[in-house]
Amino acid sequence: MTSRGAGTAFSRRNYRLSTESEKPKLTGIVNSKLLMTICTASSPSADGIQPATAYRKPLTFQNLQEHLDKLLAEDSGAEDSRDQVLEGRLGPSTVVLDHTSGFEGLLLVDDDLLGVIGHSNFGSIRATTCVYKGKWIYEVLISSQGLMQIGWCTLNCRFNQEEGVGDTPDSYAYDGNRVRKWNVTTTNYGKSWAAGDIVSCLIDLDEGTIAFCLNGVSLGTAFDNITRGAGMAYFPAISLSFKESVAFNFGSRPLRYPVEGYRPLQDPPSVDLVKAHKLLGYLKNVIHIGIDVLEGKLVEKDTSTWQLQGEPTVLITLTHIFNHFAPLMCKVYLVDDVLMHFLLSILERGGAVEAHPLIQQLLDLMWLLMEDYEVHECLKQLLMSLLRAYRFSPIIPDLGLQIHYLRLTIAVLKHEKSRKYLLNNVLFDVLRSVVFFYIKSPLRVEEAGLQELIPTTWWPNRFTKEGKESKEVKEESAEERLRRRAYDRGCQRLKKRIEVVEELQVQILKLLLSNKDRGGGEASRYIFLNKFRRFLQENASNRGNLTVLCPPEYMVCFLHRLISTLRCYWDGHKAKAPAALSSEEAYVPPQLFYNGKVDYFDLQRLGGLLSHLKKTLKDDLALKANILIDPAELQAVTMDDLDEDEESATSTAQRPVAALAIGGALARPSWLSSPTLGRANRFLSTAAVSLMNPRRPLGTLEKMKARTLSVEQRTEDDIEGSHGNEGLLLGRPPEEPEQSITENSLLEILDGIVMMYNLSVHQQLGKMVGVSDDVNEYALALKDTEEKISRCPKRRRDIYEELVKSQKVFSEKLNHLSRRLAWINVTIYSKEKMQDIYWLLQVCIRTIEHGDRTGSLFAFMPEFYLSVAMNSYSALKNYFSPVHSMEELPGYEETLTRLAAILAKHFADSRIVGTDIRDSLMQALASYVCYPHSLRAVERIPEEQRISMMRNLLAPYEQRPWAQTNWILVRLWRGCGFGYRYTRLPHLLKTKPEDANLPSLQKPCPSTLLQQHMADLLRSDCDMAPSFLNSVLNQLNWAFSEFVGMIQEIQQAAERLERNFVDSRQLKVCATCFDLSVSLLRVLEMTVTLAPEIFLDWSRPSSELLLRRLAQLLNQVLNRVTAERNLFDRVVNLRLPGLESVDHYPILVAVTGILVRLLMDTDFQGAKRATAVLLADPCFQLRSIQYLLGHAEPSALAAMPPSADKRHFSLHTYTDYISLEELAKVEQMLNHLSEESKQAAASTLPTSEEDLCPICYAHPISAIFRPCSHKSCKACINQHLMNNKDCFFCKATITGVDDFIKPVSS
């Protein structure tokens, strides 16, 4: 069928009112009085029911049609003649956006040509109709609050990617993003707009003025004396930046905020409007008036109990009314203005939606008496009007408007046939139905009425987050306590009102997820499942294209409502089937990930691509899950060399002709839509190119023991299973219990919820924390200002007044932000929302645990389950505080321990191949060990898992991301190292003690238990210790060498006269290399402390070599850092931003810690060996050790001019961070080395150059190679053989090394 507007005549249902032979039979049952009353009065009179006497001829079924036609034609003639004359407007009577020539840039325009989305830098478009005389108005529905300029332009205006409406002469615009008006030049004007606002654009061509209104409130005259005269006519126009979207209402729908004296550009359908209201009046009469059978008189009936019964007069009258009424209900304007308002009036009496069955009766009538295409179009337009009204209604204190529209939505969706039609064809395909579950956050709290709801504001004096050094929080004053309590009461009032809206939204979802309405075919839940999966695919597959995504703020609200609904149905099933699991034990069974019943699109699996997993694990699938894969289908899955051009051509050929546009064919999902909420398929491009390529659909090709169908083809049996078919649970592995979990359909919804969180919810939760941070910043600024006022001298009146102005600004901003924060805390960060995220975390943990037990099949699990487990924990810890604490949640300790076990096991799991997910696991584990409560959770996991984790951490650093591993080990050590107990870098506190925003570190929380595991592993495994320590030493050598090279470049750049500028990225890399060097030194200190025998017990292989390498690196670091007036000193003294962490203290105390452990804290034999190796290193300089205690070199002191400002580094100046005992050990070490170096110098015999190692020239020759007999010192050859077996000199393969003793004769 085509629509009525296309010019095709439709044959209506033939109701056969009567025939000539039947007339005598019918006249006996026709109630003429009732018929006259219904058809001659628009509504029942207040005095009682009196039939009208305007028509003397009695009404019968035979002349009813003629009478209705006459009534409806009464006012049409006058209306028609009035509509024909309209001065001041040029163009089509139906006003839309000009998609053929009136645009610039790349734009996406909806099918109704009223909605537009920017797809380039600054695209512009105008309407098809212009005005040159009179007063005119149109409305713009703001869907995103970004950069847009809305207003009027003339035909002569020429726009480009940089200049839009308002940037040229004779174009005028309002920009609510920057709060300005534009006409070549720009000035401040109006208020800021937000998504969900409506802008009214008014032009008065009689007076020559342009004005704007925001949500019905005038912003004042923006422009006057605009150009008028011959050839000057103004088009509605807009310029908008990338991904911004709006919808226009030129009059195709009733204006939300009409202004007296101004006409919409498009005339309302006045004739049809009169007819619709008349017919609605007759329909109301049918509902209101009945016949008292006993007395035979007309009576007024209670409309709430009206039912369609077998009264012939009523039935036939309704048939005639709907014969005229049905075609009108296919028109947008009439549905919005007549039908929706009539249905809303039914619900205005209050009470539950169930108390108003009249709406169900009316929907029954529509399906009975209207053609199917008419009902479909009417329901579609009704839902679009409801959604638009809900989305763009202003926020008022009791949220009454939103509640009103949601109640009617529920009433419509309660009708089973209507619900299924809307689910199948409208809710996800045409509408942004997720908007129904969104509660928008008001940017302007005074307009939302929050000042009345929360009259008293309050904000915390200081946010204290774990890991930061927090000052003592002052006790609350009595006034602050009263303010906080009043603020809390206001927040509770707001919460109760928002909970009413949330409960209505949950009711909508309960209707959509009903599986009891199988009467008219498939139950609603299974329709919803398929649409929901498609919705997830659109959002998962187009993550790089922001214009096609469901906005994340919608996703957050949708997720919470869906969790509430799912848990309700889940626990309802548990009540009926006690053997099933409750929602508190919910998880997704592992077979969903590999049996092909649920489509995961192209999302990454833990083990890599699905096609690869099917190929490599097909035997495991057959053995464990009894799933067979057809080799032919497997080959088809793994073929990636399909002809993309051929596919694109096929896809284009399959698209409807209506989807073709100037820029080429563009298939777009329903989310790419402006607020008109229709599917936007026109892609406008002045470059005439298409920016998107169609995705080829992904399908499951595996052959299994059960049917595998695409999402659209699945039936209830394919999901729930029947007669031995397990449905979604096909392929249960032996590790999985046979216990029933819940209904299979609920498992798929649960899986979709986890995916939703991963797609955008977590990102949005983190984004909204910004409001809380703003409150903190303004509170600190206000406190600082008040302190300055208290210190301001009385004679400086000018400064005092400026400070008072600042205080007032900060207070007003805080009042605004605190009320807005209350709204956000209720809608996003409430305790109930926190419990939802916590429940989701537990679901992911249980799902991962069950999947892990399946062995190799764990690789089929999508990566997002691990991501959501980590991110949801992060959200609970960081985003919901300080309003709510994670410690309040039930089972908090156990959940932390189970998550710790997952991180400890899987960060080095060979079944996980994705680099990104492995890095995420490593970062999550590194964060986990930073905080005492989560570190204790790691210590509570089974000992076997702890030891395995430490073994993986001690694997060689090469061939893997070693930096994160090193940070984990460092965090286990912080608090135990030499001078390593600080939370803020000590040198910064000395140079900038007043700066409150210094970089902060977590409080030290070392783990002696994990340190002991590390010591045991290094002692017991003779191969692990050398390989681990050699890799650490290699990385330290690299990191410090890179650092030295970077500071040389920085110094050279800083000394250039022509360019005194250093790249910030270069500074960041330099600081990172320095931090890595310090952390590697701390790991070496940890190793030396926990297991000194690895370096000092020379009976162990490689111990001597490790000690010599360590001494060599320590001496190099000391020499570079401690030399007077050296490169390191000069760069540190530059105090460049970005290099705050680079200073003497962090690196020197790390080196000192290692030396003290080797020389002072070991037995005599070990200290002797360490001393000998250190002194034997040619780079050793005693002055470097003296530098640690502030003993400057005498020659340097003599050369320097006396200066009171010159300060030498000394550990004695850091007594707040270094204990007296530690300082005493450094003094002892200096004395020891001084004495030993003197003795070594006295006892060393002169060595001829011929006897020195030809490689290092530092040690005497002590080794001879086999078979080539070349010679070197043992240190050089041992280090060389770690990486290479070829001789230094002749490249022969070395088979052995013997001790070389110089003959006496020589």
Side-chain angles (χ1 to χ4, degrees):
M1 283 187 175
T2 57
S3 66
R4 179 176 293 272
T8 304
F10 286 92
S11 59
R12 302 193 55 78
R13 289 192 175 102
N14 182 9
Y15 292 101
R16 266 185 90 247
L17 301 185
S18 65
T19 63
E20 291 298 325
S21 60
E22 293 171 333
K23 283 181 184 179
K25 297 179 182 178
L26 284 171
T27 52
I29 59 172
V30 172
N31 191 306
S32 299
K33 187 187 297 185
L34 178 59
L35 203 56
M36 288 287 289
T37 304
I38 290 173
C39 296
T40 56
S42 60
S43 61
S45 66
D47 302 332
I49 309 302
Q50 297 294 331
T53 57
Y55 295 90
R56 297 177 182 176
K57 184 178 178 181
L59 273 181
T60 63
F61 288 156
Q62 285 72 33
N63 60 8
L64 178 58
Q65 181 67 44
E66 176 190 349
H67 182 61
L68 276 175
D69 291 340
K70 187 175 181 180
L71 287 173
L72 295 175
E74 281 180 351
D75 300 322
S76 61
E79 295 285 348
D80 287 343
S81 61
R82 190 180 68 182
D83 286 347
Q84 289 172 1
V85 181
L86 188 62
E87 190 179 4
R89 183 178 68 189
L90 294 173
S93 58
T94 301
V95 186
V96 293
L97 296 173
D98 189 352
H99 69 290
T100 56
S101 60
F103 66 93
E104 174 64 39
L106 304 178
L107 299 163
L108 292 157
V109 181
D110 281 4
D111 271 352
D112 59 6
L113 298 179
L114 293 174
V116 61
I117 298 178
H119 206 68
S120 60
N121 184 40
F122 205 50
S124 302
I125 192 167
R126 65 172 184 260
T128 54
T129 299
C130 61
V131 291
Y132 60 91
K133 182 180 179 181
K135 299 180 178 181
W136 303 92
I137 183 176
Y138 71 92
E139 290 181 341
V140 182
L141 285 65
I142 306 296
S143 181
S144 60
Q145 62 193 55
L147 179 59
M148 295 179 280
Q149 293 173 198
I150 301 171
W152 305 84
C153 74
T154 63
L155 190 63
N156 295 326
C157 293
R158 293 291 177 265
F159 305 126
N160 53 43
Q161 295 290 302
E162 302 299 329
E163 294 183 335
V165 180
D167 296 326
T168 62
D170 299 329
S171 69
Y172 306 86
Y174 161 50
D175 173 5
N177 177 257
R178 292 173 288 189
V179 197
R180 305 184 75 81
K181 61 181 180 180
W182 297 80
N183 175 234
V184 182
T185 59
T186 178
T187 55
N188 293 332
Y189 174 79
K191 298 179 180 178
S192 62
W193 60 37
D197 286 344
I198 296 179
V199 175
S200 304
C201 304
L202 298 84
I203 188 168
D204 184 346
L205 289 161
D206 299 330
E207 299 294 332
T209 61
I210 289 176
F212 298 92
C213 300
L214 187 63
N215 295 327
V217 179
S218 175
L219 301 177
T221 301
F223 306 100
D224 51 20
N225 296 322
I226 63 173
T227 307
R228 291 171 290 167
M232 296 301 295
Y234 288 90
F235 292 83
I238 185 174
S239 299
L240 65 175
S241 56
F242 179 68
K243 77 173 182 167
E244 305 301 338
S245 59
V246 299
F248 287 84
N249 181 13
F250 300 113
S252 60
R253 296 182 302 274
L255 295 179
R256 177 59 64 89
Y257 302 107
V259 178
E260 187 177 356
Y262 287 82
R263 297 193 61 175
L265 269 75
Q266 180 174 325
D267 293 322
S270 304
V271 175
D272 288 342
L273 205 54
V274 172
K275 289 181 181 178
H277 279 295
K278 280 187 176 182
L279 290 166
L280 184 61
Y282 304 149
L283 180 59
K284 289 179 180 178
N285 289 340
V286 172
I287 297 169
H288 280 84
I289 303 169
I291 304 173
D292 188 330
V293 180
L294 296 177
E295 299 185 15
K297 64 178 182 179
L298 302 182
V299 293
E300 191 167 347
K301 299 175 64 175
D302 181 7
T303 58
S304 64
T305 60
W306 183 85
Q307 289 187 344
L308 180 61
Q309 296 173 341
E311 170 63 44
T313 306
V314 173
L315 287 173
I316 302 304
T317 304
L318 285 172
T319 302
H320 281 285
I321 291 173
F322 270 92
N323 191 51
H324 293 276
F325 194 56
L328 299 177
M329 289 302 101
C330 296
K331 299 183 178 180
V332 177
Y333 196 102
L334 300 177
V335 170
D336 199 316
D337 191 57
V338 179
L339 180 61
M340 187 174 77
H341 285 87
F342 169 55
L343 296 177
L344 285 170
S345 67
I346 296 174
L347 294 174
E348 280 178 354
R349 301 175 186 178
V353 176
E354 293 81 0
H356 302 282
L358 178 58
I359 294 179
Q360 308 298 307
Q361 296 290 323
L362 291 172
L363 289 169
D364 282 337
L365 273 179
M366 291 169 64
W367 284 100
L368 176 66
L369 301 177
M370 293 170 66
E371 297 287 349
D372 284 347
Y373 75 92
E374 292 172 333
V375 184
H376 295 167
E377 184 64 21
C378 179
L379 286 173
K380 172 186 168 184
Q381 296 300 341
L382 176 61
L383 258 289
M384 288 176 69
S385 296
L386 276 172
L387 194 56
R388 194 180 298 110
Y390 174 78
R391 186 181 186 190
F392 292 97
S393 291
I395 299 291
I396 57 177
D398 65 351
L399 298 171
L401 296 174
Q402 285 75 14
I403 291 172
H404 207 36
Y405 296 124
L406 287 176
R407 279 165 52 83
L408 180 52
T409 305
I410 291 171
V412 172
L413 292 176
K414 274 186 173 295
H415 190 264
E416 181 181 327
K417 194 170 183 180
S418 301
R419 176 172 69 248
K420 290 184 179 180
Y421 166 73
L422 291 170
L423 257 178
N424 261 318
N425 303 282
V426 178
L427 285 178
F428 282 94
D429 297 279
V430 178
L431 301 185
R432 289 186 178 181
S433 54
V434 175
V435 178
F436 275 127
F437 311 109
Y438 174 55
I439 303 177
K440 63 182 179 182
S441 175
L443 285 182
R444 297 173 298 276
V445 297
E446 65 279 359
E447 294 177 15
L450 291 185
Q451 286 176 330
E452 294 77 20
L453 205 59
I454 309 175
T456 306
T457 58
W458 172 85
W459 49 87
N461 287 327
R462 183 180 181 84
F463 289 113
T464 56
K465 291 193 177 180
E466 185 180 15
K468 292 193 176 181
E469 185 180 28
S470 57
K471 298 177 182 177
E472 288 292 326
V473 180
K474 293 181 180 178
E475 292 231 359
E476 239 180 359
S477 66
E479 181 186 354
E480 286 177 339
R481 190 181 304 111
L482 288 173
R483 282 181 57 207
R484 178 174 56 80
R485 289 176 179 173
Y487 178 73
D488 289 342
R489 286 194 298 272
C491 293
Q492 286 302 315
R493 288 193 294 271
L494 176 63
K495 183 178 180 182
K496 288 179 181 177
R497 298 184 181 189
I498 288 180
E499 282 175 348
V500 175
V501 176
E502 292 177 346
E503 178 55 35
L504 291 172
Q505 293 171 333
V506 170
Q507 286 184 38
I508 292 176
L509 269 177
K510 285 181 179 178
L511 290 170
L512 300 183
L513 287 179
S514 171
N515 64 343
K516 305 301 180 187
D517 53 351
R518 298 181 178 89
E522 195 174 20
S524 299
R525 179 183 297 177
Y526 305 104
I527 305 172
F528 176 87
L529 262 184
N530 295 337
K531 298 296 181 181
F532 180 51
R533 209 73 196 172
R534 182 65 62 196
F535 159 75
L536 292 173
Q537 182 176 13
E538 289 174 357
N539 282 272
S541 303
N542 293 285
R543 299 189 72 179
N545 191 347
L546 298 176
T547 58
V548 303
L549 300 182
C550 172
E553 58 268 25
Y554 295 179
M555 282 280 212
V556 174
C557 295
F558 186 35
L559 176 107
H560 288 296
R561 309 302 174 268
L562 200 52
I563 288 176
S564 299
T565 309
L566 174 71
R567 296 194 66 177
C568 177
Y569 274 112
W570 194 300
D571 291 331
H573 177 74
K574 164 72 174 174
K576 297 176 185 175
L581 297 179
S582 70
S583 63
E584 291 293 339
E585 307 166 288
Y587 72 95
V588 180
Q591 54 265 46
L592 260 69
F593 307 136
Y594 55 74
N595 65 15
K597 294 293 186 179
V598 177
D599 186 4
Y600 288 99
F601 336 124
D602 52 357
L603 295 179
Q604 189 78 357
R605 309 299 182 101
L606 293 178
L609 293 174
L610 180 62
S611 56
H612 168 74
L613 292 174
K614 286 182 178 178
K615 188 174 182 181
T616 55
L617 298 177
K618 60 181 180 179
D619 294 336
D620 291 0
L621 282 172
L623 180 64
K624 291 186 175 183
N626 201 24
I627 292 178
L628 303 177
I629 299 178
D630 187 356
E633 291 185 347
L634 181 61
Q635 184 180 4
V637 171
T638 54
M639 286 178 62
D640 293 325
D641 55 348
L642 297 175
D643 187 352
E644 291 292 337
D645 295 335
E646 192 174 317
E647 287 192 26
S648 299
T650 306
S651 301
T652 304
Q654 291 173 349
R655 291 195 188 94
V657 177
L660 299 178
I662 294 173
L666 180 66
R668 299 168 57 247
S670 59
W671 296 107
L672 188 45
S673 171
S674 69
T676 54
L677 308 165
R679 185 184 292 275
N681 282 332
R682 289 179 176 81
F683 180 51
L684 307 184
S685 167
T686 50
V689 295
S690 176
L691 296 186
M692 300 181 191
N693 292 321
R695 293 187 60 85
R696 54 180 173 143
L698 299 174
T700 50
L701 303 175
E702 60 271 17
K703 183 178 180 181
M704 306 167 118
K705 291 196 169 183
R707 290 183 304 150
T708 54
L709 303 172
S710 65
V711 169
E712 293 80 2
Q713 294 174 315
R714 294 189 309 173
T715 64
E716 179 180 345
D717 287 345
D718 296 315
I719 296 171
E720 300 291 1
S722 64
H723 308 296
N725 171 21
E726 295 180 274
L728 294 183
L729 299 182
L730 176 74
R732 182 179 60 83
E735 298 84 2
E736 187 67 12
E738 295 185 16
Q739 178 188 10
S740 169
I741 303 173
T742 187
E743 296 171 281
N744 291 356
S745 51
L746 299 182
L747 293 173
E748 184 172 338
I749 295 172
L750 177 58
D751 175 77
I753 289 173
V754 178
M755 191 188 300
M756 275 175 60
Y757 186 90
N758 183 63
L759 291 177
S760 58
V761 171
H762 181 74
Q763 176 188 0
Q764 183 66 13
L765 288 177
K767 181 180 176 183
M768 298 308 293
V769 174
V771 178
S772 175
D773 294 338
D774 290 344
V775 169
N776 188 26
E777 289 178 12
Y778 276 102
L780 289 172
L782 179 61
K783 184 179 179 182
D784 182 56
T785 305
E786 289 172 345
E787 290 176 354
K788 288 178 180 177
I789 289 175
S790 65
R791 297 196 306 266
C792 181
K794 292 183 179 179
R795 65 180 182 276
R796 297 306 305 269
R797 190 71 185 172
D798 53 339
I799 296 177
Y800 178 80
E801 290 175 356
E802 288 298 320
L803 288 172
V804 170
K805 286 181 184 178
S806 299
Q807 182 188 28
K808 183 179 178 182
V809 170
F810 291 145
S811 296
E812 289 176 354
K813 190 68 177 177
L814 273 169
N815 287 334
H816 170 86
L817 285 174
S818 66
R819 291 187 175 103
R820 185 157 179 248
L821 184 62
W823 184 283
I824 291 172
N825 284 340
V826 170
T827 55
I828 298 178
Y829 299 120
S830 68
K831 186 175 182 179
E832 292 75 17
K833 310 298 186 296
M834 187 180 192
Q835 289 169 344
D836 284 347
I837 304 300
Y838 182 59
W839 179 78
L840 203 58
L841 167 62
Q842 292 178 312
V843 166
C844 290
I845 288 174
R846 283 189 288 268
T847 301
I848 295 166
E849 289 172 346
H850 280 263
D852 181 36
R853 294 174 197 148
T854 61
S856 58
L857 298 184
F858 179 61
F860 282 96
M861 179 178 287
E863 284 185 352
F864 65 77
Y865 273 89
L866 278 171
S867 298
V868 172
M870 294 181 284
N871 289 335
S872 57
Y873 167 71
S874 174
L876 290 168
K877 181 166 65 75
N878 298 317
Y879 300 159
F880 286 85
S881 62
V883 182
H884 300 288
S885 171
M886 190 179 175
E887 297 176 6
E888 303 169 1
L889 296 168
Y892 155 79
E893 298 284 348
E894 182 193 355
T895 302
L896 249 61
T897 304
R898 293 169 71 180
L899 180 59
I902 288 172
L903 297 176
K905 180 172 184 178
H906 297 300
F907 83 92
D909 193 336
S910 60
R911 296 171 295 181
I912 302 175
V913 300
T915 305
D916 291 342
I917 191 65
R918 290 174 71 94
D919 286 350
S920 297
L921 285 165
M922 185 74 77
Q923 291 169 14
L925 183 60
S927 173
Y928 224 70
V929 299
C930 282
Y931 303 101
H933 66 281
S934 50
L935 179 59
R936 301 290 91 82
V938 176
E939 293 178 343
R940 287 195 300 269
I941 66 177
E943 182 178 358
E944 182 183 349
Q945 293 184 18
R946 293 198 305 268
I947 294 173
S948 175
M949 177 187 77
M950 294 308 298
R951 181 177 286 108
N952 289 323
L953 289 173
L954 295 176
Y957 279 3
E958 286 83 5
Q959 308 299 325
R960 70 190 185 99
W962 57 271
Q964 285 292 345
T965 303
N966 200 73
W967 287 122
I968 294 173
L969 294 174
V970 168
R971 286 164 180 171
L972 297 177
W973 180 243
R974 282 192 71 239
C976 297
F978 183 92
Y980 201 33
R981 292 172 291 278
Y982 51 83
T983 55
R984 293 181 184 273
L985 294 173
H987 63 277
L988 286 182
L989 289 174
K990 283 183 173 294
T991 56
K992 301 179 181 179
E994 73 287 349
D995 192 349
N997 297 317
L998 293 172
S1000 175
L1001 305 170
Q1002 289 79 17
K1003 291 180 181 178
C1005 52
S1007 172
T1008 54
L1009 178 63
L1010 297 179
Q1011 290 175 17
Q1012 188 58 48
H1013 290 324
M1014 175 178 173
D1016 293 341
L1017 286 168
L1018 291 174
R1019 289 193 192 103
S1020 60
D1021 194 330
C1022 294
D1023 296 328
M1024 176 185 289
S1027 60
F1028 168 69
L1029 287 171
N1030 273 314
S1031 65
V1032 173
L1033 292 168
N1034 288 341
Q1035 299 301 344
L1036 175 59
N1037 186 35
W1038 169 83
F1040 191 73
S1041 300
E1042 286 291 316
F1043 169 71
V1044 171
M1046 295 292 291
I1047 60 174
Q1048 286 174 345
E1049 294 177 12
I1050 291 170
Q1051 175 65 20
Q1052 292 169 5
E1055 288 177 348
R1056 291 191 204 119
L1057 295 177
E1058 71 277 5
R1059 181 174 173 268
N1060 191 15
F1061 170 75
V1062 182
D1063 187 4
S1064 60
R1065 288 174 297 179
Q1066 189 177 14
L1067 294 174
K1068 186 175 180 180
V1069 173
C1070 178
T1072 302
C1073 288
F1074 180 79
D1075 293 340
L1076 285 173
S1077 301
V1078 172
S1079 67
L1080 288 162
L1081 285 167
R1082 287 296 185 182
V1083 170
L1084 289 169
E1085 179 192 18
M1086 179 184 183
T1087 309
V1088 169
T1089 306
L1090 297 176
E1093 59 269 30
I1094 296 173
F1095 294 94
L1096 303 176
D1097 181 4
W1098 286 4
S1099 63
R1100 297 170 64 97
S1102 305
S1103 288
E1104 182 182 357
L1105 172 61
L1106 289 171
L1107 185 59
R1108 291 187 185 282
R1109 289 197 65 195
L1110 178 62
Q1112 181 184 13
L1113 283 170
L1114 293 179
N1115 284 323
Q1116 288 178 7
V1117 172
L1118 282 171
N1119 293 341
R1120 287 285 189 177
V1121 176
T1122 61
E1124 290 289 344
R1125 300 187 306 280
N1126 69 350
L1127 180 64
F1128 186 86
D1129 260 341
R1130 291 199 296 271
V1131 171
V1132 168
N1133 291 331
L1134 289 174
R1135 298 295 175 194
L1136 296 173
L1139 291 185
E1140 291 87 357
S1141 63
V1142 178
D1143 196 80
H1144 298 81
Y1145 181 87
I1147 197 164
L1148 287 182
V1149 290
V1151 173
T1152 305
I1154 298 173
L1155 293 174
V1156 167
R1157 301 297 184 195
L1158 287 173
L1159 302 175
M1160 297 288 103
D1161 293 344
T1162 56
D1163 57 21
F1164 175 78
Q1165 185 66 30
K1168 182 179 178 181
R1169 287 174 178 167
T1171 304
V1173 169
L1174 191 66
L1175 296 178
D1177 188 83
C1179 297
F1180 174 77
Q1181 297 181 26
L1182 185 62
R1183 66 156 190 83
S1184 296
I1185 309 298
Q1186 295 170 340
Y1187 183 92
L1188 299 174
L1189 295 173
H1191 301 166
E1193 193 175 355
S1195 60
L1197 287 173
M1200 286 174 54
S1203 172
D1205 296 333
K1206 181 64 180 175
R1207 296 179 180 178
H1208 294 284
F1209 174 84
S1210 173
L1211 295 178
H1212 287 295
T1213 61
Y1214 292 93
T1215 53
D1216 291 342
Y1217 309 98
I1218 302 174
S1219 67
L1220 295 176
E1221 181 185 355
E1222 289 174 329
L1223 285 172
K1225 288 183 179 180
V1226 179
E1227 294 276 5
Q1228 292 174 19
M1229 179 181 72
L1230 177 58
N1231 295 334
H1232 170 72
L1233 289 175
S1234 299
E1235 189 65 30
E1236 290 295 324
S1237 61
K1238 290 177 183 177
Q1239 292 180 10
S1243 61
T1244 301
L1245 296 175
T1247 305
S1248 67
E1249 187 173 339
E1250 294 178 358
D1251 296 331
L1252 291 176
C1253 169
I1255 304 299
C1256 65
Y1257 285 96
H1259 305 290
I1261 295 173
S1262 56
I1264 183 169
F1265 315 155
R1266 291 199 309 265
C1268 60
S1269 298
H1270 285 109
K1271 306 176 188 70
S1272 76
C1273 67
K1274 283 188 177 180
C1276 287
I1277 188 58
N1278 287 341
Q1279 187 166 350
H1280 177 69
L1281 290 177
M1282 288 174 57
N1283 303 308
N1284 199 329
K1285 301 299 181 184
D1286 295 341
C1287 175
F1288 288 113
F1289 309 101
C1290 64
K1291 302 303 179 185
T1293 302
I1294 298 173
T1295 59
V1297 178
D1298 297 325
D1299 291 339
F1300 172 76
I1301 300 174
K1302 183 179 178 181
V1304 178
S1305 60
S1306 63

